[in-house]
C-alpha cells in the first residue's frame, strides 16, 4: 500500500520542487543475487581462459575510491518509512538538510538496492541522478553549482524489498502461540547497510539528527525507534508513529522495528548522574516473560556504567528487543538494542548456565557501546577496534560488577585472550588498525582481531596504568569527544594525560600498528638475575622464514612486564621494543619467576627448561601458590610453545600432573580444550590409544567429583561440570557415554521431560552419537522442527549433528538449506557443527564446493559468515591432498568477497596441521608410552 495522499500533501507543501527531468537514469536494479552470480561466472570464465598458476591471494582493486567526497555535510534527516508487511516491500521519503562546505554541482551519497523514484532539491534544479553500483553511490547532478556555505534540502522518494534479507530494512517471521505466522520488520545497518534502507551519507563521521516517522498496521502492531514516540496519527488501516528528534548520531545506529511484540519495563537509576530513565524489553508475546532476566541485568549493568563513565546516559530511554532473525548476535543501536532471541531471552526451563552468562555478556557489551561507540564514534572503520575492543573489554567488567561470583575477570582469558593468541600467531593475521575502504573489507574487519585482540590490548593498558587512572581517562575521553568522532590517538592522548611515568602512545603503537605479538624468553644468569629477550611468536616454525619484515617496529613490542617470584616479590618494568634485552634483578635466594601476572599482557613467556621444571614442581606441590589466572596461563603458554616447537612437549605434559588437584573452572577449561584438540589431532595416528588412556586418566578425578547433578546456584561449578562432561564424552569415557545414552533414551520416551538445560547439549549430542537407528534421528529432528524456544532449538540442532552416519549428515545439510527448517541466521552454525563431527567433515567439504554458487546466491559474497566458513570447515585438515583441494577451489572461484583473509588463514592452518603432526607426534607418543603409562595404570577409568 502506497500512502499517496500523504506524499502529495508533503510534496505540494514545499513551494518550489524541482523534479529531476532531464536524464532520469533510474537504474532498474537487477536483483543483487543475480549480479553476484554473474560476477562469479565471469571470473570463472576469465580464469579458465587464463589457465595461469594457482594463487589464492587476490589483490584488491585499489583504483576504486569508495569514500564519499567531502564537499557536503548532512546535519539532519527527516525520514518517513512505510514497511508493508503484507507485500514485503517498503516505500519511504526523506529530506536531508545539508551544509555545503566546498562548492560543487554534485550531491553524492549512498544508496544500494533501492528504487529511487524521485529526487529533488529545494529551490534548485536537478539535472540528473544515477546509481553507481560498485561504490553504492547515488550521484545527483545539479544544473548549477552550489556555493560554499549554502544550506540545501535534498528530497528523495524511494522504495525497496524486505524479504529474504538480514540487513538493511528487512522482514522476519515467527509463529505465535496459536500457530499463525506473524511478520515483523526491523533493521540492521552496521556497517554499510543503512544505504539499503534509505539514501544517506553512510559514513560514521557524518553524524546528523534524525526525525523519524514510521507507518505500521493499526491494531496490535506498533513501531519503536531510537527515540521516544511523541505522536501517533491514526489513518485507518495504518497508523503513523512519530518519534522525537534524535541526538546527533551515525547512520549505522539508526533503528526501527514494526512488530506486535509485547514489552516489560523497568527504571534505570541514574543515581545523581543525569536523570532516571525507562528501559523496555520487547519480545514476541508468548515469550515475553523470558525477558525478565535481561531486563533486570540490563538495568543493573547500565547503572554500573553510568557510575563508571560518569557521563549521563544521553537519551530518555534505552530499549531492547529480541528479533526472531538477526544476522549478528546483537546490535547497539542507540536507545534500541536488538538481539537474537538466544542473546536476550532467558528461561530457567530451557537456558543453561552458559546461556545465562552469554546473555549477560552480550547485554553488557551492547550497553557499554551506548557511550563508547555511540556517543563517541570512530571516524572511520579503520579504527573499529576502538569501539569493539573497548566493548569487549568492558563487558567483562560489567558482568563482573553485577555477578562477582561468576569469575568473569579470569574468564576473559579463556574466551577472549587465549583464542586470539592462536589466530594472531599466524602470518594471515592483520594489525589492529587496518586500512579498509570497500564494504567487503569493512565487514571483514568485524573479526577476532578487532574484538578480542582489541579487548586484550585495552586490558593490558588498564593493568599498566591502573584501573582508577584508566577509568579517569575514559571519562575525560567521553566528555571531550561526545557527539563526535575520534581516532585511536585521541583515546591514547587521554590515557597518556593521566600518567606521568610511561609514554603510552609510543608503547601502544607497537601493539596497534603491527600484527602479532612476542614471546619473551627468560633465562637465569650466573649472578642470579633473569635475562629477558623477545621475538615474534609464530605458531609454525616454518613461518619464521616466510615472515615479511615490513613493520616499522621490526615486529618487536614495548612489553609491560609483570612478575612474581617464589619469595612473594611482585614487580613490573617496561621492555621497550628498541632495546635488545632487559634484566630482572631479584634476591639471590629466588628460585623461580613467573612473568605476565594473571596473563594481563598480550604475550607469551618461555623459560629455560630448568625454570619450567621449577614452576611445575611448585604447581604440583602447592597449586594455590598461583592465582587461578596464572595457572590457566601456565597451561596455555606451555602447550602453545610446545605446539610451536619452542619447548619440548614433555613440559606441558608433565605440567598436567597437577590437574589431579585442580578444581577451578578456568584452568580446567584450558586443559580440557587442549585434551579435546589433541584427541582430534591424534585421532588417526599410532599413539591414539595411549593418548586416550592418558587423557581419560587425567580427568577421572574431576569427572567423579562434578557428577551429573546440576547445582542450583553455583555458576562456576556448573560451568566446570559441563566442560568436564563434554570432554569426558568426547574422549569416549565409557561411564560418560552411558550416562548420556540413558538420559537420551529416557528423553525420547518422554520428550516433555527433558534433562537439565546444562546437560542437554551433552545428552543430545552423545546420545545421538551412540544411536545407530535412523528413526531416532528422525524423532529428534521432528522435535527440533517443532521447537519454538530459540535456545532449545539450537541445542537440538547440535544434537542432530552428533550422528555418526555420513548419509544422515548429508541429508541434514540439505534440509538445513530450507529457511523454514533452519533460519538463515543459524545456517552457518549448523554447517560448522556438522563439519566439527569427524564423520561430517568431508561431507561438508564436498557439499560446500559443489554448492558454492548457490551459497553465494543465497547469502552474497559480502556475507562475512559465509566468508569465514572456509577456514572453519577446513580447520582440522592435515594432509597435502586436502591442501591441494582447497587451493584448487580458490583457483576455480577466485572471488572471495568478505572471505579473503579467511582463505589465507585456511591454507596456513592446513600447512600448520601437516607440519604439527610431523614434528610433535613422536614427541608426544614417546612421552606418553614412557612416563605417563605408570600414571595411567593407577587411575584408569
Ligand atoms: C568534533 O571535533 C572536531 C575536531 O576536534 C571539531 O572541529 C568539531 O567542532 C567537533 N564537532 C562537534 C559537533 O563537537
Ligand atoms: C591477580 O588476580 C588476583 C585475583 O583476581 C588479584 O587478587 C591480584 O591482585 C591480581 N594481581 C595483579 C598483579 O593484578
Ligand atoms: C627463545 O627460545 C626459543 C626456544 O629455545 C628459541 O627458539 C628462540 O630463538 C629464542 N628467542 C630469543 C629471542 O632468544
Ligand atoms: Zn560491539
Amino acid at each position: 500500500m502506497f500512502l499517496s495522499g500523504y506524499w502529495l500533501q508533503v510534496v505540494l507543501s514545499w513551494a518550489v520542487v524541482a523534479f529531476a527531468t532531464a536524464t532520469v537514469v533510474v537504474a532498474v536494479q537487477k536483483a543483487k543475487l543475480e549480479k553476484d552470480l554473474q560476477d562469479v561466472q565471469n571470473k570463472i570464465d576469465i580464469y579458465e581462459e587464463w589457465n595461469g598458476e594457482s594463487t589464492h591471494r587476490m589483490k584488491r582493486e585499489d583504483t576504486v575510491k569508495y569514500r564519499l567526497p567531502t564537499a557536503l555535510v548532512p546535519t539532519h534527516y527527516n525520514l518517513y518509512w512505510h514497511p508493508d508487511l503484507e507485500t514485503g516491500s517498503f516505500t519511504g521519503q526523506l529530506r536531508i538538510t545539508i551544509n555545503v562546505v566546498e562548492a560543487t554541482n554534485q550531491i553524492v551519497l549512498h544508496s544500494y538496492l533501492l528504487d529511487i523514484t524521485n529526487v529533488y532539491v529545494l529551490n534548485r534544479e536537478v539535472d540528473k541522478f544515477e546509481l553507481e553500483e560498485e561504490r553504492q553511490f547515488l550521484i545527483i547532478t545539479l544544473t548549477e553549482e552550489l556555493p560554499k556555505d549554502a544550506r540545501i534540502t535534498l528530497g528523495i522518494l524511494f522504495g525497496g524489498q524486505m524479504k529474504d534479507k538480514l540487513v538493511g530494512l528487512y522482514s522476519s517471521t515467527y509463529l505465535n502461540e496459536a500457530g499463525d505466522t506473524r511478520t515483523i520488520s526491523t533493521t540492521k545497518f552496521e556497517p554499510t547497510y543503512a544505504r539499503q534502507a534509505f539514501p544517506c551519507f553512510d559514513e560514521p563521521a557524518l553524524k546528523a539528527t534524525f526525525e523519524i516517522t514510521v507507518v505500521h498496521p493499526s491494531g496490535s502492531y506498533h513501531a519503536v525507534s531510537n527515540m521516544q514516540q511523541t505522536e501517533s496519527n491514526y489513518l485507518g488501516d495504518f497508523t503513523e508513529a512519530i518519534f522525537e528528534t534524535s541526538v546527533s548520531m551515525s547512520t549505522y545506529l539508526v533503528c526501527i522495528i514494526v512488530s506486535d511484540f509485547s514489552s516489560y519495563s523497568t527504571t534505570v537509576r541514574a543515581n545523581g548522574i543525569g536523570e532516571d530513565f525507562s528501559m523496555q524489553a520487547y519480545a514476541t508475546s508468548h515469550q515475553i516473560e523470558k525477558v525478565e532476566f535481561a531486563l533486570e541485568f540490563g538495568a543493573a549493568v547500565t547503572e554500573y556504567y553510568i557510575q563508571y563513565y560518569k557521563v549521563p546516559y544521553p537519551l530518555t530511554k534505552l530499549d531492547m528487543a529480541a528479533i526472531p532473525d538477526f544476522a549478528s548476535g546483537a546490535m547497539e543501536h542507540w536507545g534500541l538494542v536488538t538481539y537474537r532471541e538466544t542473546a536476550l531471552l532467558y528461561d530457567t526451563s530451557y537456558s543453561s548456565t552458559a546461556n545465562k552468562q552469554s546473555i549477560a555478556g552480550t547485554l553488557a557489551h551492547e550497553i557499554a557501546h551506548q557511550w563508547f561507540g555511540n556517543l563517541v564514534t570512530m571516524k572511520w572503520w579503520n579504527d573499529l577496534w576502538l569501539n569493539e575492543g573497548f566493548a569487549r573489554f568492558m563487558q567483562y567488567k560489567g558482568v563482573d560488577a553485577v555477578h562477582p561470583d561468576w569469575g568473569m575477570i579470569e574468564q576473559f582469558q579463556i574466551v577472549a585472550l587465549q583464542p586470539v593468541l592462536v589466530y594472531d600467531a599466524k602470518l594471515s593475521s592483520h594489525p589492529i588498525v587496518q586500512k579498509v575502504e570497500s564494504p567487503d573489507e569493512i565487514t571483514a574487519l568485524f573479526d577476532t582481531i578487532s574484538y578480542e585482540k582489541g579487548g586484550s590490548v585495552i586490558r593490558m593498558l588498564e593493568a599498566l596504568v591502573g584501573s582508577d587512572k584508566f577509568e579517569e581517562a575514559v571519562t575525560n575521553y567521553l566528555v571531550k569527544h561526545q557527539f563526535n568522532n575520534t581516532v585511536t590517538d585521541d583515546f591514547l592522548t587521554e590515557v597518556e594525560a593521566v600518567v606521568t611515568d610511561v609514554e603510552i602512545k609510543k608503547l601502544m603503537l607497537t601493539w596497534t600498528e603491527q600484527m602479532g605479538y612476542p614471546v619473551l624468553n627468560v633465562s637465569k644468569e650466573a649472578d642470579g638475575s633473569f635475562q629477558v629477550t623477545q621475538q615474534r611468536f609464530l605458531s609454525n616454525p616454518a613461518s619464521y622464514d616466510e615472515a615479511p619484515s615490513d613493520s616499522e617496529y621490526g615486529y618487536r613490542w614495548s612489553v609491560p612486564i609483570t612478575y612474581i617470584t617464589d619469595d612473594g616479590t611482585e614487580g613490573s618494568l617496561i621492555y621497550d621494543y628498541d632495546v635488545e634485552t632487559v634484566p630482572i634483578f631479584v634476591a639471590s635466594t629466588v628460585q623461580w619467576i613467573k612473568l605476565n601476572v594473571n596473563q594481563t599482557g598480550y604475550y607469551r613467556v618461555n623459560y629455560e627448561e630448568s625454570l619450567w621444571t621449577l614452576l611445575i614442581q611448585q604447581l604440583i606441590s602447592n597449586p594455590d601458590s598461583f592465582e587461578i589466572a596464572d595457572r590457566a596461563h601456565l597451561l596455555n603458554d606451555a602447550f602453545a610453545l610446545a605446539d610451536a616447537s619452542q619447548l619440548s612437549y614433555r613440559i606441558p605434559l608433565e605440567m598436567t600432573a597437577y590437574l589431579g588437584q585442580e578444581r577451578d573452572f578456568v584452568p580446567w577449561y584450558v586443559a580440557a580444550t587442549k585434551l579435546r584438540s589433541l584427541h582430534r589431532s591424534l585421532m588417526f595416528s599410532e599413539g591414539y590409544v595411549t593418548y586416550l588412556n592418558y587423557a581419560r586418566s587425567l580427568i577421572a578425578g574431576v569427572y567423579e567429583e562434578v557428577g551429573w547433578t546440576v547445582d542450583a546456584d553455583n555458576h562456576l561449578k556448573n560451568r566446570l561440570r559441563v566442560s568436564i562432561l563434554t570432554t569426558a564424552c568426547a574422549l569416549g569415557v565409557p561411564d560418560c557415554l552411558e550416562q548420556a545414552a540413558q538420559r537420551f533414551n529416557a528423553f525420547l520416551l518422554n520428550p516433555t521431560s527433558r534433562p537439565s538445560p546444562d546437560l542437554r547439549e551433552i545428552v543430545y549430542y552423545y546420545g545421538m552419537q551412540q544411536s545407530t537407528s535412523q528413526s531416532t534421528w528422525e524423532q529428534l529432528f521432528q522435535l527440533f522442527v517443532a521447537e519454538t524456544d530459540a535456545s532449545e532449538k539450537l541445542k537440538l540442532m547440535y544434537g542432530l549433528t552428533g550422528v555418526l552416519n555420513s548419509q544422515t549428515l548429508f541429508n541434514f545439510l540439505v534440509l538445513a538449506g530450507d529457511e523454514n527448517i533452519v533460519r538463515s541466521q543459524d545456517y552457518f552454525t549448523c554447517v560448522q557443527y556438522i563439519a566439527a563431527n569427524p564423520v561430517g567433515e568431508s561431507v561438508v567439504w564436498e557439499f560446500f564446493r559443489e554448492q558454492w554458487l548457490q551459497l553465494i546466491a543465497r547469502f552474497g559474497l559480502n556475507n562475512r559468515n559465509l566468508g569465514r566458513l572456509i577456514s572453519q570447515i577446513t580447520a582440522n585438515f592435515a594432509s597435502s591432498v586436502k591442501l591441494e583441494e582447497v587451493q584448487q577451489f580458490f583457483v576455480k572461484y577466485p572471488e572471495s568477497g568478505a572471505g579473503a583473509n579467511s582463505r589465507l588463514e585456511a591454507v596456513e592452518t592446513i600447512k600448520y596441521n601437516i607440519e604439527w603432526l610431523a614434528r610433535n607426534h613422536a614427541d608426544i607418543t614417546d612421552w606418553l608410552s614412557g612416563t605417563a603409562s605408570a600414571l595411567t595404570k593407577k587411575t584408569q577409568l
Side-chain angles (χ1 to χ4, degrees):
M1 139 128 199
F2 189 75
L3 292 184
S4 45
Y6 175 87
W7 293 110
L8 208 56
Q9 195 190 331
V10 171
V11 171
L12 293 178
S13 70
W14 293 356
V16 191
V17 178
F19 281 103
T21 44
T23 348
V24 180
V25 199
V26 181
V28 179
Q29 298 229 5
K30 269 187 290 175
K32 156 106 174 79
L33 306 180
E34 263 173 46
K35 178 198 170 282
D36 277 349
L37 263 183
Q38 194 53 49
D39 282 357
V40 169
Q41 196 54 51
N42 292 344
K43 287 280 162 36
I44 296 168
D45 296 346
I46 292 167
Y47 262 69
E48 279 171 0
E49 271 170 48
W50 176 48
N51 195 24
E53 72 178 30
S54 110
T55 170
H56 56 267
R57 210 177 263 273
M58 292 295 299
K59 266 218 103 71
R60 171 165 76 81
E61 284 280 351
D62 280 325
T63 46
V64 182
K65 296 275 171 269
Y66 285 92
R67 299 297 298 276
L68 290 173
T70 51
L72 304 174
V73 176
T75 57
H76 180 72
Y77 290 78
N78 188 324
L79 251 169
Y80 186 97
W81 260 314
H82 178 207
D84 188 333
L85 302 182
E86 254 166 54
T87 63
S89 59
F90 65 92
T91 49
Q93 163 179 315
L94 64 79
R95 276 175 288 157
I96 314 176
T97 311
I98 300 166
N99 288 340
V100 180
V101 296
E102 296 157 32
T104 177
N105 69 338
Q106 280 199 326
I107 304 174
V108 181
L109 69 168
H110 289 103
S111 175
Y112 190 53
L113 302 179
L114 293 172
D115 292 323
I116 306 295
T117 42
N118 263 309
V119 171
Y120 51 87
V121 177
L122 286 193
N123 302 316
R124 313 269 167 184
E125 197 180 334
V126 172
D127 174 25
K128 62 175 183 181
F129 63 93
E130 54 202 320
L131 290 158
E132 199 209 286
E133 184 112 7
E134 171 68 19
R135 292 187 290 178
Q136 311 182 348
F137 279 176
L138 167 59
I139 302 173
I140 301 162
T141 308
L142 305 175
T143 53
E144 283 172 57
E145 194 172 72
L146 298 168
K148 184 174 181 315
D149 295 331
R151 170 176 282 236
I152 57 166
T153 301
L154 167 68
I156 303 175
L157 277 60
F158 57 93
Q161 290 301 319
M162 301 194 291
K163 281 187 185 167
D164 303 323
K165 310 177 65 172
L166 285 175
V167 296
L169 176 57
Y170 68 96
S171 59
S172 159
T173 57
Y174 73 94
L175 291 179
N176 69 8
E177 207 150 36
D180 301 326
T181 300
R182 306 290 284 180
T183 306
I184 67 150
S185 123
T186 185
T187 57
K188 186 342 179 146
F189 291 168
E190 194 185 20
T192 59
Y193 311 122
R195 64 191 70 166
Q196 297 190 20
F198 66 108
C200 56
F201 294 81
D202 201 9
E203 293 193 355
L206 295 172
K207 289 188 173 184
T209 50
F210 291 82
E211 195 179 342
I212 294 172
T213 301
V214 179
V215 180
H216 60 82
S218 299
S220 57
Y221 276 83
H222 53 77
V224 281
S225 182
N226 307 81
M227 307 299 289
Q228 301 268 20
Q229 186 173 335
T230 51
E231 253 183 83
S232 106
N233 290 330
Y234 179 74
L235 306 171
D237 287 347
F238 293 94
T239 302
E240 289 170 355
I242 300 162
F243 298 92
E244 186 186 3
T245 300
S246 78
V247 295
S248 185
M249 64 184 196
S250 306
T251 46
Y252 77 88
L253 292 173
V254 172
C255 181
I256 61 163
I257 303 170
V258 171
S259 76
D260 58 348
F261 290 173
S262 300
S263 67
Y264 280 179
S265 168
T266 190
T267 300
V268 179
R269 307 276 168 212
N271 293 317
I273 302 177
E275 302 283 318
D276 292 358
F277 55 92
S278 72
M279 175 177 271
Q280 258 86 233
Y282 293 87
T284 60
S285 301
H286 63 286
Q287 301 195 93
I288 190 60
E289 71 285 356
K290 296 184 193 172
V291 304
E292 264 171 13
F293 170 71
L295 202 54
E296 187 186 322
F297 177 83
V301 80
T302 308
E303 287 168 6
Y304 166 72
Y305 288 148
I306 294 172
Q307 298 307 311
Y308 183 91
Y309 291 135
K310 294 179 208 67
V311 174
Y313 175 66
L315 310 185
T316 55
K317 59 106 176 167
L318 173 52
D319 295 342
M320 39 203 184
I323 308 292
D325 293 278
F326 200 68
S328 29
M331 176 60 212
E332 70 265 20
H333 312 106
W334 217 349
L336 178 56
V337 184
T338 51
Y339 298 85
R340 277 188 185 201
E341 289 192 339
T342 49
L344 190 74
L345 304 182
Y346 177 80
D347 184 332
T348 45
S349 52
Y350 293 110
S351 313
S352 63
T353 307
N355 290 147
K356 188 177 196 174
Q357 183 180 314
S358 129
I359 291 168
T362 310
L363 279 146
H365 179 100
E366 305 308 330
I367 297 173
H369 274 312
Q370 302 298 309
W371 289 260
F372 211 107
N374 298 5
L375 182 62
V376 181
T377 312
M378 70 263 140
K379 262 202 182 86
W380 179 245
W381 302 106
N382 290 1
D383 286 299
L384 176 70
W385 83 280
L386 203 53
N387 258 15
E388 296 306 348
F390 188 88
R392 179 65 90 233
F393 158 80
M394 201 63 196
Q395 76 181 70
Y396 286 81
K397 278 180 116 60
V399 178
D400 183 62
V402 182
H403 293 288
D405 60 325
W406 287 9
M408 292 310 291
I409 301 304
E410 288 90 5
Q411 286 200 51
F412 184 95
Q413 272 177 288
I414 53 172
V415 189
L417 175 59
Q418 293 179 357
V420 73
L421 288 174
V422 174
Y423 182 92
D424 204 20
K426 295 183 184 138
L427 296 176
S428 55
S429 187
H430 65 82
I432 282 182
V433 175
Q434 167 99 343
K435 185 169 163 14
V436 290
E437 295 253 315
S438 73
D440 283 347
E441 291 170 342
I442 294 168
T443 190
L445 200 54
F446 285 75
D447 70 354
T448 187
I449 293 296
S450 298
Y451 283 75
E452 278 75 31
K453 184 175 183 180
S456 301
V457 163
I458 289 174
R459 177 170 166 265
M460 174 165 75
L461 180 61
E462 185 205 33
L464 173 63
V465 303
S467 53
D468 292 346
K469 289 203 167 142
F470 183 81
E471 187 176 337
E472 189 185 330
V474 170
T475 302
N476 294 344
Y477 167 79
L478 291 173
V479 170
K480 187 161 170 186
H481 300 285
Q482 55 186 321
F483 300 109
N484 215 330
N485 296 76
T486 54
V487 293
T488 297
D489 188 65
D490 293 318
F491 181 65
L492 298 180
T493 298
E494 298 309 319
V495 179
E496 196 156 81
V498 296
V499 295
T500 48
D501 48 345
V502 194
E503 287 180 84
I504 295 294
K505 286 187 190 176
K506 183 178 165 221
L507 179 141
M508 286 298 286
L509 282 174
T510 66
W511 299 96
T512 56
E513 296 288 317
Q514 56 184 355
M515 64 167 150
Y517 60 89
V519 50
L520 268 47
N521 278 8
V522 182
S523 58
K524 189 151 187 181
E525 301 298 297
D527 65 0
S529 71
F530 295 96
Q531 190 73 27
V532 185
T533 53
Q534 67 164 288
Q535 179 182 31
R536 180 179 184 183
F537 180 74
L538 291 167
S539 51
N540 189 342
S543 301
Y544 281 99
D545 296 332
E546 299 166 27
S549 50
D550 54 352
S551 164
E552 196 183 326
Y553 305 98
Y555 292 106
R556 297 179 63 82
W557 288 262
S558 290
V559 186
I561 294 179
T562 52
Y563 60 87
I564 48 169
T565 65
D566 56 316
D567 70 355
T569 308
E570 287 185 22
S572 65
L573 66 151
I574 288 176
Y575 176 2
D576 280 315
Y577 79 94
D578 48 4
V579 172
E580 197 57 40
T581 163
V582 289
I584 298 178
F585 298 105
V586 293
S588 60
T589 50
V590 162
Q591 298 289 306
W592 56 257
I593 186 168
K594 182 197 172 286
L595 270 65
N596 202 357
V597 181
N598 290 347
Q599 204 180 9
T600 47
Y602 191 79
Y603 56 92
R604 296 196 189 278
V605 189
N606 200 357
Y607 306 87
E608 286 178 321
E609 285 213 5
S610 58
L611 291 174
W612 274 115
T613 304
L614 288 170
L615 289 167
I616 291 171
Q617 282 166 2
Q618 184 69 37
L619 263 176
I620 293 173
S621 66
N622 183 10
D624 287 336
S625 46
F626 298 100
E627 295 284 357
I628 292 173
D630 282 331
R631 304 199 300 269
H633 174 220
L634 287 169
L635 282 167
N636 185 252
D637 266 6
F639 274 109
L641 289 161
D643 283 334
S645 297
Q646 297 191 18
L647 181 64
S648 160
Y649 234 100
R650 181 179 70 75
I651 297 291
L653 291 171
E654 279 180 5
M655 189 182 289
T656 58
Y658 108 89
L659 289 170
Q661 302 169 69
E662 183 61 80
R663 289 298 177 266
D664 272 300
F665 169 59
V666 167
W668 255 119
Y669 182 94
V670 178
T673 304
K674 194 63 207 173
L675 290 179
R676 293 198 305 271
S677 80
L678 280 173
H679 174 247
R680 180 76 187 240
S681 308
L682 296 169
M683 195 170 271
F684 303 106
S685 75
E686 273 170 52
Y688 181 58
V689 176
T690 320
Y691 171 74
L692 214 51
N693 289 334
Y694 154 77
R696 288 179 187 178
S697 73
L698 278 182
I699 61 164
V702 67
Y703 174 80
E704 293 297 337
E705 204 171 305
V706 293
W708 285 76
T709 308
V710 174
D711 287 76
D713 192 21
N714 189 338
H715 190 86
L716 285 172
K717 180 94 180 282
N718 287 342
R719 296 297 314 272
L720 173 68
R721 176 175 305 100
V722 171
S723 184
I724 295 300
L725 298 188
T726 306
T727 307
C729 279
L731 295 171
V733 170
D735 185 66
C736 189
L737 294 177
E738 214 169 284
Q739 299 279 349
Q742 266 175 26
R743 285 169 173 78
F744 186 63
N745 295 331
F747 154 68
L748 290 180
L749 283 175
N750 181 10
T752 54
S753 144
R754 301 195 176 186
S756 157
D758 267 22
L759 302 178
R760 280 182 204 168
E761 283 176 323
I762 300 168
V763 168
Y764 298 163
Y765 192 87
Y766 291 100
M768 197 63 245
Q769 189 190 72
Q770 294 172 82
S771 166
T772 49
S773 134
Q774 182 63 24
S775 66
T776 302
W777 192 88
E778 295 291 342
Q779 191 189 346
L780 195 65
F781 180 71
Q782 292 311 327
L783 289 167
F784 162 74
V785 171
E787 184 55 59
T788 56
D789 182 89
S791 177
E792 178 70 5
K793 208 174 173 80
L794 278 189
K795 294 184 177 82
L796 290 165
M797 183 172 92
Y798 179 62
L800 288 168
T801 66
V803 69
L804 294 180
N805 179 319
S806 55
Q807 186 58 45
T808 311
L809 289 170
F810 175 77
N811 293 345
F812 190 33
L813 207 45
V814 174
L815 288 168
D818 180 347
E819 166 77 16
N820 297 311
I821 294 173
V822 174
R823 285 183 185 271
S824 278
Q825 64 166 14
D826 298 324
Y827 179 75
F828 294 108
T829 310
C830 184
V831 176
Q832 273 177 64
Y833 283 165
I834 298 176
N837 179 339
V839 175
E841 184 183 75
S842 56
V843 176
V844 171
W845 177 226
E846 197 94 334
F847 181 87
F848 178 82
R849 283 182 292 170
E850 281 174 10
Q851 296 291 309
W852 177 242
L853 293 181
Q854 285 85 337
L855 286 169
I856 296 174
R858 180 171 176 198
F859 296 101
L861 274 170
N862 181 248
N863 185 307
R864 75 176 91 102
N865 295 318
L866 176 63
R868 253 167 232 159
L869 201 53
I870 182 69
S871 60
Q872 289 158 344
I873 65 184
T874 61
N876 289 304
F877 285 9
S879 72
S880 49
V881 174
K882 285 283 181 238
L883 179 61
E884 272 171 36
E885 287 176 10
V886 171
Q887 283 170 327
Q888 276 163 12
F889 174 77
F890 295 158
V891 173
K892 185 164 178 198
Y893 300 116
E895 192 76 36
S896 55
N901 227 59
S902 174
R903 290 186 166 196
L904 296 177
E905 190 198 347
V907 169
E908 195 177 354
T909 303
I910 300 167
K911 286 184 181 165
Y912 167 81
N913 291 345
I914 295 170
E915 283 160 32
W916 184 92
L917 270 180
R919 285 194 323 265
N920 292 316
H921 178 236
D923 222 18
I924 296 173
T925 40
D926 284 355
W927 187 84
L928 288 176
S929 48
T931 325
S933 58
L935 169 89
T936 305
K937 284 198 193 81
K938 268 192 295 181
T939 46
Q940 195 76 262
L941 263 179

